[in-house]
Amino acid sequence: MITRRHFAALAGAAFITGMSASAQAQNVTLRSTDIHPTDYPTVEAVRHMGKLLDERTKGRIKINVFHSAQLGQEKDTIDQTRFGVIDMNRINMAPFNNLIPATNIPSLPFIFRSVDHMRKVMDGAVGDNLLKDFEKHDLIGLAFYDSGSRSFYNSKKAINTPADMKGMKIRVQQSDMFVALVSALGANATPMPFGEVYSALQTGVIDGAENNWPSYESTRHFEVSKFYSMTEHSLSPEVLVMSKKSFDKFNAADQALIKAAAKESVAKMRELWDAREKASEAKVKAGGAQVNSIEKQPFIDAMKPVYDKFVTDPKLKEMVAAIQAVK
Ligand code: GTR
């Protein structure tokens, strides 16, 4: 949904893009979108990238991060980025799942053994190939950011086994893979934009959702959904993409600077992320969240139908094998 506030921000953005298109040497401010609040690690990391670019181009290229979903909810911003109305987008992999089949793979339940494993995979050949896949969709894949591990939370009771989830209404991201994941656990999946989850929890439209510590905390979902059960079922990474239309306006040297600054922002993101995860966990616990750990094996066993449905062609099978082979 495009509100009046979004429209005003977009109209301003299009004007700046028009100016930058005509004069390469002039100063350019790239507009980047993020649904998270101003102090969130993803927002800070893109700002850090902007600072590097600003320094390295002596102020010719800057980035302005429109945080807190000022430019819209994630799924709605994809097309705007493809068309060049938004220059850059920090977004989770899940909203791309239906558009780019390979993005399902790193979002798959229990595909990574640990955060270290995920970082190695996304930093290596699997990650590089996946970044290239965005180009067919008018986007330049710049970098992957961490998103920790996602766990289920709800307002009813602690989840210990898949049977505890039977019949629960669980919000998922707008991705068929996440719908299948939740359905395989016997719950009812309700795809919904992130910004609508708090009131849906509050009014009982849904019983729960799933996310990492920082999102559970920053959205204050813990106030209306206090049982957080550590299933850690998905490490679906974040991705930073740029509109190909915007990217193509730069010469090769500037394009290389943009790509390098994005890659360098990953280390900054990880540093901020690790600190924020701990701080958020402490904050939600102090705020009344009831946290329980679970035995993962029954959840892992329940995921076979998800793999059968989404790891279909040879390319995707190879990708899964390549991820598993990374030590
Ligand atoms: C967060 C992620 C967002 C978005 C959100 C959601 O962890 O950073 O990009 O995917 O979850 O659940 O919609």
Side-chain angles (χ1 to χ4, degrees), residues 139-207:
L139 296 166
I140 303 293
L142 292 178
F144 295 109
Y145 286 161
D146 289 28
S147 196
S149 51
R150 301 176 75 96
S151 288
F152 290 106
Y153 50 90
N154 77 92
S155 58
K156 302 278 183 225
K157 61 178 184 187
I159 294 166
N160 287 294
T161 66
D164 293 329
M165 295 184 65
K166 202 168 168 36
M168 270 190 189
K169 277 187 262 147
I170 302 287
R171 176 268 173 173
V172 290
Q173 303 186 80
Q174 290 154 292
S175 146
D176 292 346
M177 201 283 289
F178 273 89
V179 170
L181 188 163
V182 163
S183 306
L185 293 166
N188 296 327
T190 308
M192 172 186 299
F194 192 55
E196 292 171 21
V197 180
Y198 187 97
S199 67
L201 287 167
Q202 198 175 32
T203 55
V205 168
I206 52 171
D207 300 314

Side-chain angles (χ1 to χ4, degrees), residues 254-304:
D254 282 347
Q255 289 179 344
L257 284 175
I258 291 169
K259 283 196 166 173
K263 286 276 188 202
E264 282 172 53
S265 71
V266 173
K268 179 76 177 173
M269 159 68 189
R270 287 179 181 168
E271 184 193 314
L272 294 168
W273 183 257
D274 290 345
R276 178 65 180 248
E277 264 195 325
K278 287 197 186 77
S280 295
E281 181 179 350
K283 218 164 164 179
V284 298
K285 284 180 174 165
Q290 313 247 318
V291 178
N292 69 292
S293 52
I294 55 118
E295 197 211 317
K296 288 199 182 137
Q297 199 56 48
F299 289 86
I300 296 172
D301 294 344
M303 290 301 128
K304 191 172 177 308

Side-chain angles (χ1 to χ4, degrees), residues 17 54-55 57 59 78 110-111 153 155 185 196 225 227 229 254:
T17 304
D54 190 350
E55 284 164 12
T57 63
I78 292 179
F110 305 107
I111 182 91
Y153 50 90
S155 58
L185 293 166
E196 292 171 21
S225 189
F227 297 102
S229 305
D254 282 347

Side-chain angles (χ1 to χ4, degrees), residues 36 74 90 92 147 150 171 173 194 211-212 215 238:
H36 288 305
E74 289 193 343
R90 190 299 308 163
N92 194 256
S147 196
R150 301 176 75 96
R171 176 268 173 173
Q173 303 186 80
F194 192 55
N211 224 312
N212 51 43
S215 285
E238 318 284 6

